[in-house]
Amino acid sequence: MLISRRIITAVGLVLAGSAAQAQTAPWDTVPLQTSNSPFVLSLPGSAETPPPVQKAEPFALGSAGFVQPANVQVVAPARPLVDESALRYYAHNGEIGRVSAEINRLKSLHPDWEPPEDIFDSNKTAVNEQPLWDLFAAGKSQELYAKIREFIKLYPGYAPTGELRRQIMNAEARKTVLRASEVGNYPDVVKTVAKNPTLLVCQEMDMIWRTAEALYKTGREAEAFAAYQYILANCSNPDERVATVQKAAEILPRQAVEKLVTFGRTGIDGQSEFNDIFLNIVRGEVGKAAADEMLLVERADLETLTRSAKLQQNPGDAELLGWYYYSRQDYEQAAEWFNASLKLRPSVKAIEGIVISLKGAGAYEEAENLAYENRRKDPLILKAYLEVMSIQILDDLDRELDFKRLSRFANSIEEAESANGAQVLGWHFYELYDFDEAETWFDKSMKFHPNEAAVVGLILVAQRNKQTKRQNQLIADWSGDFPAVEALNRVRRASASSTQKRSSGGSKSYSNSSLASARNAFNSGNYKEAVALLERNALRGRETRTSQLLRGWALFNSGRSKEAHKIFAAADAQRSTKETRQGKWFSEKAMYKYQ
Amino acid sequence: MLCAAVIVSMMAAGGVFPAVATEVIGQSARDNEAVSLWLKSAWREYAKRFVTADGAVIDDGNQGISHSESQGYGMVLAVAVDDRELFERIRDYTFETLQVRKDHLFAWKVEHTDKGPNVADTNNATDGDLLIAWGLVEAYKSWGENENLSSARLVLKDIAEKLVRDTGFGPVLLPGEIGFSSGKGQEFTLNPSYWVYPALEAVARFDTSANWEEIAVVGEEVLDLSQRAPSYLPPDWVDVSGIKLDPAEKFPLEFGYNAIRIPLYLALSTNAYREKKVADFAALKGFDAPGGPYVVHVVSGETQSVMGGKGFAAVAALTRCMDTSEPFPPELLRVGADPYYSSTLQIFTVLALAERYPQCLSQEG
């Protein structure tokens, strides 16, 4: 495709040109706060020489929609070019007669021309600007401006020469653009670059990117597109070109991005330079959709990715398609893609994908075996294995497991310290009336992480085994934590109060503090409740001596004198008081009588 | 699991599994030149380190004593590697020194003192007796000397009379004549690793003083019931009363250096169902990856210690290979450093692999 390297319009140039005239120079006034400069721009190369000649005209605002390769418009300057060199030469030499003759000659050639007012200025002062360039190159703008003001005072009629002036103005504009762009003040970005049109050149890539963004954010979408297009048509740095498409993809709609991609150059491998980035965009889209099943994905995107996965043998794309189809609950396609990916490259994620896809498809046996074989490769695969097993066991709780599957599961539960897996096995054995095995697993489950299913299991096992004391203890210990246990507790209380008359436990206090509740429970004779509350408090690890001793008495009064004795003995060893000695004595007595 | 055992016992009784041709132990290994070379080399090293000139097999990890178990292992291994001379030396020592009871069983423990061997305990160890009988039967099969068979039968007859007891599960093997039954002879302490399955299978074809096959099936049932949550590893010792079975109170509640032999014996069995049980071990703690096996507390499921030694690691690797065809690690074939017990298990493991799963060794062969 033939693209003009000079995309420029008369409108743009006029806009840019007039705006540039209206600016005041930064050194015109002394800044109020010199320390307020947020950052210092480093400038490219040595400032002693002017910037390299640009191949392309700067990007001009208002140029949207004018990409017409065969229709290059080169617009004449607003004012005619007048060769003033002879005039200045004579002026410099003080040859006034010759100056006058030259003015007449030029006027006859260019009727509208007026001689510049400054032709004799250089005659008076010869200013060496090198110190200014040095300051500029060092980025010391405030010092530079002070120096310029000093020069103006020192050499009447002095003004920075064109190139220095342009560079200073651009540097200032650059700062303004950055600042405005960073805080999202997009109108200021657009305003600033409009005044400094020479900022929008390939050497100032960042400025074009920020301008494009600002244009888009201020509703000038077509111009934003044109800015990106300008880069692709005129600028040659391959990294910057790729970055341009990436940035465009972040803000422009997909169609616009796809259009930009067509400006890519074809490499020696026959692939567009934007092939990867386009694929990345597609991957991003499909990836987003894989994480959010409500998102729709273009059919073309899936096809693009499918091509990449199949023809380019890209395992990542195959895996991504796996996740996409998994999110769409198309488990068979998902498993197929994960398998395809796995064939191309070993990947733990792909294995996990296959496992959960098989699980989703209900192919539990296959999922179980694959997950088990790979369980050590990733905790997520181990987790998936435990889940697959749990699902299958829960599906048919009293179906006997063959020993191999049982031992694999048991060993993996231990390895993962899976409270859930352990309680599932507990219920499995409970259903098989194997209460010893069930109890072992419920106990394990509680050890790994206390949970309702396991504690209810333990309570029911205790009930089956007619271990009333244990049953009550479990209920007392856990009814505060699990609603189901609390429900069992209510049932138990209801049946207890119906058979035996009890004195009221006093008015119930619903204090926020469990310690206060514990004390209330203790004072109203509900020692087991007090124990449960105090034990939970102790488990939090910040038990005061007072609540520790209260726990001792609560235990003592609930008939758990052995544990009470342990507490009192420990407290006594720490600091022996009358209370600790009493506690020890009473619990010891009760202990030996009880035993 | 209980059901499975019952089914197998029915199948065995009904003769669903025809008796396999009575090959001598180590026949496949003898036929495979590479394995045979390894076995002979390992045996030379073993004999040099653990077998005395008199024919005592020394347990260097156990104060250098000899016992009926080490003599039995030595006899079986000697037949397996076709070393008749050494077999006879070990056999003769065993009969002269250990067969000192009033019956044909063997005193289980001999100390070696300056004044010569000293029988330290005349109680028997049933697995030792069984191993010796097995060695004699294999020798008879290999070299056809009738005296070996008649000696074996005498031992077996006494095992059948004194050590086979009836329980709720059927006939079991009492671990020794004294000290393993109580409660008017209704409660027993048993050792699941005393069921030397290949020995029971081998002797059953030459002796009918007890129903050895049935005893083997009951052994499987004892084993099944002993494998419990959370580790499903069998404890070394169990208490049996009626049809109740629990880890033995008098012994540590551990899967340990006794029970580690169970998967090995199952692997040496010629019964396909027993072989399958070997693979089942592969998923258990300490067996499922290199690094084990471990001594494991059977109630808590916690690891107590690593069983250090190539022989133990070899048994674990054997179960994995029989489960998932994981190749047997070549480093477990190195000999010369491990003590008697570990070395014994190592050679038996290679024998089992050569007989049952030669493909596990194919990288070497």
Side-chain angles (χ1 to χ4, degrees), chain A residues 431-503:
Chain A
E431 285 297 312
L432 292 175
Y433 291 79
D434 191 339
F435 301 118
D436 286 351
E437 290 270 297
E439 188 175 21
T440 306
W441 285 115
F442 288 136
D443 267 335
K444 275 274 170 195
S445 178
M446 289 300 281
K447 205 183 113 202
F448 294 145
H449 187 77
N451 64 89
E452 188 172 89
V455 78
V456 168
L458 282 176
I459 290 167
L460 293 188
V461 168
Q463 199 174 29
R464 288 271 184 183
N465 292 341
K466 309 233 183 309
Q467 297 165 313
T468 316
K469 219 177 149 192
R470 175 164 162 80
Q471 186 191 348
N472 289 345
Q473 191 59 55
L474 283 163
I475 291 175
D477 289 352
W478 297 102
S479 64
D481 295 87
F482 303 116
V485 181
E486 173 56 30
L488 286 173
N489 192 19
R490 277 197 299 276
V491 172
R492 189 180 56 100
R493 271 203 205 134
S495 64
S497 62
S498 66
T499 52
Q500 66 190 80
K501 213 173 174 198
R502 275 177 141 194
S503 61

Side-chain angles (χ1 to χ4, degrees), chain A residues 372 375-376 400 403-404 406-408 410-411 414-415 429 437 440-441 444 447, chain B residues 1 3 227-230 232 279-280 282-285 288-289 300-302 323:
Chain A
Y372 178 76
R375 70 198 182 283
R376 293 237 164 79
E400 269 206 69
F403 183 75
K404 182 164 172 173
L406 172 64
S407 56
R408 282 171 163 194
N411 199 10
E414 292 257 10
E415 210 161 283
F429 284 113
E437 290 270 297
T440 306
W441 285 115
K444 275 274 170 195
K447 205 183 113 202
Chain B
M1 276 172 276
C3 302
Q227 291 191 256
R228 293 186 182 174
Y232 296 98
D280 286 349
L284 298 175
K285 189 176 209 171
D288 60 339
S300 72
E302 270 156 33
D323 185 34

Side-chain angles (χ1 to χ4, degrees), chain A residues 165-181:
Chain A
R165 180 189 169 87
R166 198 184 65 76
Q167 291 225 14
I168 291 172
M169 299 296 276
N170 273 356
E172 278 302 313
R174 209 181 278 119
K175 271 193 224 170
T176 311
V177 168
L178 278 172
R179 225 177 290 143
S181 158

